[in-house]
Amino acid sequence: MNNKKPFIAATLMFSCLWGMPAFAADAGAGEQKSAVCAGCHGQGGKSSNPQWPSLAKQQPAYIVNQLEAFKSETRKNPMMQGMAANLSREDMDNLAAYYSAQPAAKAGGNQELAKEGEKKSAICMGCHGQKGAGNGQFPRLAGQHPDYLIAQLKNFKSGERKSGPMQAVAGNLSEEDMKALAAFFGSQ
């Protein structure tokens, strides 16, 4: 007798379990942990200061990746390095679950510039998703403060912030392009 059903069932079960995280992220625990983040990133991750990004509706994988980069000091920011230093992976997952479940922020932007930025935005959509809503490991740009987005583009262009693809893209943008793209994404 050659009965393959038990083998197939076991293989499917193992495949499903293998792809599951060791624990489920706890958005409630993330909300509690976020109290210390609110000073800069705002209540519910909606920053009112263009110096700091909004985390509301941000991609969970991106949040975790950035926290890990700050913790390992591969992304430089003394304040964030200090904040991430004592976070466990579970803390990071919980924060990501909390922030990604929050309603999106909308910073706004100069509408004339936004129209110009929309025309240029196709260069960003492949990674950052439709209208900059984010895509897995690529961050949500929609609703971010235009000044924050401009600063990050300048940091990529100068090499202060590292990412091969973003350095290449930003390296080909003029300051006017950056302002137009930032206005477009800020108004989404």
Side-chain angles (χ1 to χ4, degrees):
M1 284 194 326
N2 188 1
N3 189 350
K4 294 183 180 181
K5 286 183 182 180
F7 175 76
I8 293 170
T11 302
L12 287 173
M13 184 177 77
F14 179 72
S15 296
C16 290
L17 291 174
W18 185 263
M20 292 176 66
F23 57 90
D26 181 348
E31 181 177 15
Q32 290 177 352
K33 193 65 112 169
S34 76
V36 75
C37 309
C40 296
H41 296 286
Q43 283 300 112
K46 292 182 187 83
S47 174
S48 60
N49 186 328
Q51 184 176 354
W52 297 295
S54 289
L55 301 177
K57 205 64 172 177
Q58 189 55 270
Q59 296 293 309
Y62 180 76
I63 292 172
V64 171
N65 288 343
Q66 295 311 299
L67 289 171
E68 286 178 338
F70 286 125
K71 184 173 183 163
S72 69
E73 299 184 9
T74 56
R75 183 166 176 197
K76 306 294 183 199
N77 179 300
M79 182 184 296
M80 282 304 302
Q81 287 169 306
M83 299 299 282
N86 295 317
L87 293 176
S88 68
R89 175 58 194 251
E90 182 176 10
D91 292 334
M92 293 178 193
D93 287 339
N94 292 343
L95 284 164
Y98 169 67
Y99 283 122
S100 67
Q102 299 307 298
K106 192 168 186 178
N110 177 300
Q111 290 307 303
E112 290 303 312
L113 277 176
K115 288 177 188 173
E116 287 302 310
E118 184 173 18
K119 295 174 190 172
K120 301 169 190 274
S121 67
I123 192 171
C124 308
M125 303 297 186
C127 294
H128 295 281
Q130 186 69 18
K131 296 200 178 209
N135 186 9
Q137 67 182 9
F138 300 103
R140 176 182 186 82
L141 303 178
Q144 290 292 351
H145 293 283
D147 289 344
Y148 175 79
L149 293 173
I150 292 167
Q152 297 313 302
L153 287 168
K154 286 181 178 180
N155 288 342
F156 282 121
K157 187 170 185 165
S158 73
E160 182 178 327
R161 190 163 173 198
K162 307 287 185 216
S163 168
M166 277 306 302
Q167 286 174 281
V169 170
N172 289 309
L173 297 176
S174 68
E175 190 159 337
E176 293 76 28
D177 292 336
M178 291 180 189
K179 288 177 182 177
L181 287 166
F184 171 69
F185 287 117
S187 67
Q188 295 303 299

